[in-house]
Amino acid sequence: MLFEKLNTRIMNLGTAVRREFKKLYVAYKMDTNFTDIIIQKSRLRISVNMKFSEIADPKGLCKDVTGIGKWGNGDVELYLDGLDGLDDVMKIIEQSFAAHEND
C-alpha cells in the first residue's frame, strides 16, 4: 500500500514521467532517472538522483551515500516507513524531478 501511494504521487508529477520496473528497484525517469525506489520488507528505500549538497532537507531525512555501492542512482537516500512521512518524502523527490525536468 505504501508503494502504491508513493507511486501515484510520483506519476502525477507530470506527463513526461515514466516508470520502469528493474530487477532490484523501480525507476522513475524522464530522460534520466530522477528517483528510484527499492521495496523492502517494512519500508521503501528511496534514491534521489541529485548531489547531497544540492538537496534542501530541513527535516534531516536524507543520507549522503556518495561513493557507497548501492542500487539506484544519485547521492541521496531516504526511507519511507509510513504514510505520515509521504508529504515530506515527496518534497525531496519533487526537487529531483524539477532538477531533471529540463535535461
Side-chain angles (χ1 to χ4, degrees), residues 26-37:
V26 181
Y28 293 88
K29 57 177 32 182
M30 288 170 288
D31 287 337
T32 59
N33 294 24
F34 64 90
T35 196
D36 302 314
I37 298 176

Side-chain angles (χ1 to χ4, degrees), residues 50-53 63-70 74-76:
M50 288 182 71
K51 298 218 176 293
F52 186 76
S53 60
K63 177 181 169 186
D64 185 355
V65 292
T66 306
I68 297 174
K70 64 195 175 345
D75 295 340
V76 179

Side-chain angles (χ1 to χ4, degrees), residues 13-101:
L13 287 173
T15 56
V17 176
R18 295 188 329 273
R19 176 184 60 208
E20 289 184 10
F21 289 95
K22 303 291 188 178
K23 185 175 182 180
L24 301 171
Y25 61 92
V26 181
Y28 293 88
K29 57 177 32 182
M30 288 170 288
D31 287 337
T32 59
N33 294 24
F34 64 90
T35 196
D36 302 314
I37 298 176
I38 298 95
I39 300 171
Q40 299 181 322
K41 189 175 181 179
S42 61
R43 63 185 180 178
L44 301 175
R45 190 173 93 205
I46 302 157
S47 292
V48 178
N49 195 0
M50 288 182 71
K51 298 218 176 293
F52 186 76
S53 60
E54 295 173 353
I55 212 87
D57 181 20
K59 295 198 174 182
L61 303 173
C62 298
K63 177 181 169 186
D64 185 355
V65 292
T66 306
I68 297 174
K70 64 195 175 345
W71 300 326
N73 299 283
D75 295 340
V76 179
E77 183 175 275
L78 65 156
Y79 294 91
L80 179 63
D81 55 12
L83 288 176
D84 54 334
L86 187 59
D87 288 340
D88 294 329
V89 166
M90 279 306 299
K91 287 177 185 164
I92 303 296
I93 293 171
E94 285 165 1
Q95 292 176 54
S96 182
F97 172 77
H100 290 275
E101 204 168 16

